[in-house]
Amino acid sequence: MMIKQNVRKYTDLDLSFARNPLTDDVAKKVDSNAIKQSIKNLVQMEFCSVPFHPEVGSQVMSLLFENFTDLTRISLERVIATVIENFEPRVKMNSVIVQNETNKNAILITIHYTIVNTNKPQTVDITVYRAR
């Protein structure tokens, strides 16, 4: 007898708003791709960007233009971990690594996490450029 495992399927809209050729509707992101998109959005979102929810967002953009020291790196890592832990219940945080890319005028963010109900470690890389 086979036991059916209760596995949740996560779906989000594809924010590129591409057209699904089969249904002629907006395409969607599924499972790990939906979660990666959500994490990228949370990290890059500033406070007060979501109507009626000013608490959603992070300080990443405001810390971008600080002198990059160990204190700035640690602050960025904490801010990113906090926003994901608070607003992305589908994942369990493992680690956040922030590196300064001086030559590219950017910051490279690597986030390691595990999707809830799975044992698969996942990684998302986000490059945030210092441009206004």
Side-chain angles (χ1 to χ4, degrees):
M1 174 171 39
M2 291 185 66
I3 298 173
K4 185 176 179 183
Q5 186 179 7
N6 186 12
V7 178
R8 295 181 78 178
K9 188 172 186 176
Y10 301 115
T11 59
D12 286 339
L13 288 177
D14 185 355
L15 294 182
S16 68
F17 294 105
R19 184 178 65 90
N20 183 329
L22 298 176
T23 63
D24 227 16
D25 200 1
V26 177
K28 59 184 174 181
K29 298 265 185 174
V30 180
D31 291 334
S32 64
N33 289 330
I35 293 172
K36 284 181 184 182
Q37 175 179 273
S38 175
I39 288 173
K40 286 180 183 180
N41 289 338
L42 283 172
V43 168
Q44 295 176 347
M45 190 180 301
E46 294 185 40
F47 289 111
C48 299
S49 296
V50 179
F52 306 108
H53 291 285
E55 73 280 3
V56 178
S58 71
Q59 296 173 318
V60 171
M61 295 304 174
S62 63
L63 290 171
L64 270 181
F65 296 96
E66 298 291 326
N67 289 334
F68 197 86
T69 62
D70 285 339
L71 183 61
T72 308
R73 180 184 52 76
I74 292 168
S75 295
L76 280 166
E77 289 172 353
R78 285 186 182 162
V79 163
I80 293 166
T82 301
V83 75
I84 294 171
E85 289 169 355
N86 288 342
F87 298 108
E88 186 50 81
R90 302 177 288 186
V91 301
K92 178 185 170 288
M93 282 295 304
N94 296 336
S95 67
V96 177
I97 301 167
V98 175
Q99 298 171 336
N100 189 17
E101 296 286 326
T102 309
N103 297 339
K104 297 179 183 176
N105 204 21
I107 292 176
L108 177 64
I109 302 166
T110 304
I111 302 168
H112 301 280
Y113 60 93
T114 305
I115 298 174
V116 174
N117 297 332
T118 69
N119 291 327
K120 290 183 184 177
Q122 300 282 322
T123 302
V124 66
D125 293 318
I126 306 169
T127 304
V128 184
Y129 295 95
R130 292 182 185 111
R132 292 201 182 235

